[in-house]
Amino acid sequence: MLVFSVFLVAMFSIAPIRAYLEQRTRLEQLSRRAIELERQNDVLQDRIADLHDPETLERLARACLGMVRPGEIAFVTIPRGRAPAPPACG
């Protein structure tokens, strides 16, 4: 009778133990993902702060949009026999 009782307890405890281990694994995965997303968020926050800098905005406007200050003259060099390369933005 004792062996049968131990067998029943063991059988009924397998599913909860397996569920616990699966949940623990999933929690570890989600924790790693949260850390990665926080790191990416920090990088994006730094980029936002950089884009609020007037010097960065001017550099991007000049490089990406070809803008110049009033009174300046912009020159674009075109390589011989090739199409001009797109501006290096970023």
Side-chain angles (χ1 to χ4, degrees):
M1 190 63 158
L2 179 60
V3 173
F4 181 70
S5 298
V6 169
F7 176 74
L8 283 177
V9 169
M11 291 304 292
F12 286 118
S13 65
I14 289 174
I17 290 173
R18 185 172 31 167
Y20 168 75
L21 293 175
E22 289 173 358
Q23 289 174 357
R24 189 173 70 178
T25 302
R26 180 73 175 139
L27 181 62
E28 290 171 359
Q29 291 171 345
L30 291 173
S31 294
R32 285 193 300 270
R33 179 72 175 139
I35 291 169
E36 176 63 23
L37 289 173
E38 287 175 2
R39 188 194 64 75
Q40 290 176 2
N41 193 31
D42 291 341
V43 169
L44 292 173
Q45 291 293 338
D46 292 342
R47 180 70 176 149
I48 288 171
D50 188 39
L51 289 174
H52 280 82
D53 180 29
E55 291 176 7
T56 302
L57 289 176
E58 181 177 351
R59 181 181 53 81
L60 290 173
R62 288 176 177 273
C64 299
L65 303 175
M67 298 179 85
V68 295
R69 289 187 175 267
E72 292 181 342
I73 299 173
F75 292 94
V76 177
T77 58
I78 300 175
R80 257 180 223 249
R82 295 187 299 172
C89 297

